[in-house]
Each structure stands twice: as structure tokens, then as C-alpha cells.
Amino acid sequence: MADHTLALSGGLHMPWSWCGHCERTYATGTCRLIRFTPDALHPHPATLKLCPYSDCNASTVRYQWQWANLLQQHPEYPATPSQNVVYMR
Ligand SMILES: [Zn+2]
């Protein structure tokens, strides 16, 4: 059986993202989806993807960074960040 996690172990792709708004990390792909109910004016309303931390309402489209980018600026940071910890940019 194929194990997709093996593809992430090569170091090319970090499965972590960092929120530029609350400066905390989360597993890439994690987000809070906010769906709007279609109505006459908005038959195809957008779906908002928000930072998974419930006290942060930043859009992941604008604020999601690759953790690898943070590591380049802060080599002292761990390759696997802790969730709910603020990492200053
Ligand atoms: Zn956030």
C-alpha cells in the first residue's frame, strides 16, 4: 500500500505552514472553511479559507507562508514547529 507521507520526508516539501497574522504554525492544508449561502446576488459565493486558529481570522490566501521560508530567516527554529507557539518573523 502506498504511503503518501514518504513523499514528504525528502526535505523538499515542508508539511508545515506559518500564519503571518498570528505567527503560529499549522499543518499545511489545515484551515477553517467559511462557506456562504448562495443567494440571488451571489449565486456562486466564494469560500473563505481562514487560519485554523479560532482566535485568528486571517485568510490563508493572504497570510499563509511555507514554514521553510521562515527557517531560511531563522535557522535556529525547529524543522518541525510546535503548534500554538508564536514564532516571530
Ligand atoms: Zn493565524
Side-chain angles (χ1 to χ4, degrees):
M1 187 176 149
D3 186 353
H4 294 286
T5 59
L6 288 178
L8 298 174
S9 64
L12 294 176
H13 178 262
M14 291 273 189
W16 301 101
S17 291
W18 177 84
C19 174
H21 191 259
C22 65
E23 302 186 309
R24 287 173 293 186
T25 58
Y26 51 91
T28 298
T30 309
C31 63
R32 283 184 293 136
L33 280 179
I34 309 294
R35 289 194 180 88
F36 294 95
T37 306
D39 57 32
L41 285 177
H42 307 92
H44 302 290
T47 300
L48 276 183
K49 291 183 177 181
L50 301 181
C51 173
Y53 291 102
S54 59
D55 58 341
C56 174
N57 287 322
S59 162
T60 59
V61 175
R62 284 185 59 189
Y63 289 98
Q64 178 175 298
W65 289 51
Q66 291 295 317
W67 179 240
N69 289 346
L70 266 288
L71 284 179
Q72 285 180 358
Q73 297 174 39
H74 295 278
E76 73 276 17
Y77 282 177
T80 301
S82 301
Q83 294 193 29
N84 220 15
V85 171
V86 172
Y87 294 98
M88 303 287 282
R89 187 163 132 197

